C-alpha cells in the first residue's frame, strides 16, 4: 500500500515539475479548422487542374476534328493498328506494336527503298520504349516506331530511304540528345 502511495505521489510531483518547467500546453481548436481549410484549398486546386486538363483535351479533340482532309492521306500511310502475334497467330491485344515491315510507301517510293534503323538497346517493356519514343519525338522532331522483336524485346527504329539519310538522321539524333550512337552506324 505504501509503495502504491509513493508511486502516485512521485508521478504527481514529476508532472507538476514538468508543467512548471515547460508550461501548460495550450489547446487550439482553431488549428484544426486551419488544417481543414488548407486541405479543402488543395482539393479545390486539384479539381481546377483536372478541369483545365479536360478542357484542353476537349479543345485538342475539337481542333483535330476540324482539320482539313489532308490528314486523311497521312493516316493512310500509318502502319496497321492491330499486328498479328507471331506465337499464337491471333491479333495482338495492344495493337500498338508493329512488326519490322515498313508502313505502306508513298506512291513515288517502292517498298524496297524504305528501311528501318534500330539505334538503341532493346527495351524490356513496350511502355518504356513508347516513353523513349515520345521524348525523342519531342526533342528531334523525327518519327520513330517501336518494333517488337519477340516477347519482352522492343526496339526503337526510324525510317530512312538511303545510307546518306540514315547517317544524317543518326547525327541529328546524336546532336539533339547527346546520345552516343556510334554502334548504330553499320
Amino acid at each position: 500500500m505504501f509503495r502504491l502511495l509513493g508511486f502516485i505521489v512521485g508521478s504527481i510531483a514529476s508532472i507538476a515539475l514538468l508543467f512548471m518547467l515547460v508550461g501548460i500546453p495550450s489547446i487550439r481548436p482553431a488549428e484544426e479548422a486551419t488544417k481543414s481549410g488548407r486541405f479543402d484549398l488543395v482539393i479545390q486546386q486539384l479539381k481546377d487542374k483536372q478541369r483545365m486538363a479536360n478542357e484542353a483535351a476537349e479543345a485538342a479533340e475539337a481542333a483535330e476534328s476540324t482539320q482539313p482532309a489532308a490528314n486523311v492521306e497521312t493516316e493512310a500511310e500509318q502502319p496497321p493498328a492491330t499486328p498479328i502475334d507471331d506465337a499464337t497467330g491471333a491479333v495482338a491485344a495492344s495493337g500498338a506494336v508493329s512488326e519490322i515491315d515498313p508502313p505502306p510507301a508513298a506512291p513515288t517510293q517502292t517498298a524496297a527503298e524504305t528501311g528501318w534503323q534500330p539505334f538503341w538497346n532493346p527495351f524490356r517493356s513496350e511502355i518504356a520504349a513508347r516513353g523513349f519514343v515520345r521524348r525523342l519525338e519531342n526533342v528531334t522532331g523525327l518519327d520513330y516506331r517501336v518494333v517488337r522483336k519477340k516477347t519482352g524485346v522492343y526496339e526503337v527504329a526510324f525510317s530512312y530511304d538511303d545510307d546518306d539519310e540514315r547517317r544524317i538522321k543518326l547525327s541529328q539524333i546524336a546532336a539533339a540528345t547527346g546520345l552516343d550512337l556510334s554502334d548504330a552506324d553499320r
Side-chain angles (χ1 to χ4, degrees):
M1 176 82 164
F2 285 116
R3 284 185 183 174
L4 182 62
L5 186 62
F7 176 75
I8 292 174
V9 170
S11 296
I12 292 173
S14 298
I15 291 172
L17 182 63
L18 186 63
F19 281 147
M20 287 178 16
L21 293 175
V22 176
I24 298 175
S26 61
I27 299 173
R28 298 181 196 162
E31 277 187 24
E32 200 60 41
T34 306
K35 287 180 186 176
S36 177
R38 282 187 270 173
F39 180 74
D40 292 339
L41 179 66
V42 169
I43 295 292
Q44 185 61 38
Q45 288 174 346
L46 289 174
K47 286 180 182 178
D48 291 342
K49 279 185 182 180
Q50 186 177 20
R51 185 177 31 84
M52 286 190 288
N54 288 341
E55 289 172 358
E58 289 172 1
E61 287 175 7
E64 285 180 9
S65 66
T66 60
Q67 286 180 345
N71 286 342
V72 173
E73 184 176 278
T74 59
E75 289 176 6
E77 295 175 0
Q78 296 296 325
T82 55
I84 296 178
D85 188 17
D86 292 336
T88 63
V91 175
S94 70
V97 179
S98 61
E99 299 300 322
I100 251 227
D101 297 331
T108 59
Q109 293 180 328
T110 63
E113 292 177 4
T114 303
W116 289 92
Q117 171 70 39
F119 63 93
W120 195 250
N121 296 334
F123 292 88
R124 292 185 183 196
S125 74
E126 179 186 354
I127 294 171
R130 292 251 171 246
F132 186 67
V133 165
R134 216 174 11 257
R135 181 68 178 141
L136 278 176
E137 286 175 342
N138 289 340
V139 171
T140 63
L142 299 174
D143 290 327
Y144 301 93
R145 174 186 275 183
V146 175
V147 181
R148 188 184 88 199
K149 300 299 270 186
K150 60 182 181 180
T151 305
V153 178
Y154 299 90
E155 289 184 339
V156 174
F158 63 86
S159 68
Y160 65 95
D161 293 329
D162 56 14
D163 279 342
D164 292 333
E165 183 182 2
R166 184 179 59 81
R167 279 191 221 104
I168 289 170
K169 286 187 176 181
L170 282 171
S171 64
Q172 195 175 11
I173 294 167
T177 62
L179 299 173
D180 180 25
L181 300 177
S182 60
D183 293 340
D185 201 17
R186 293 182 194 179

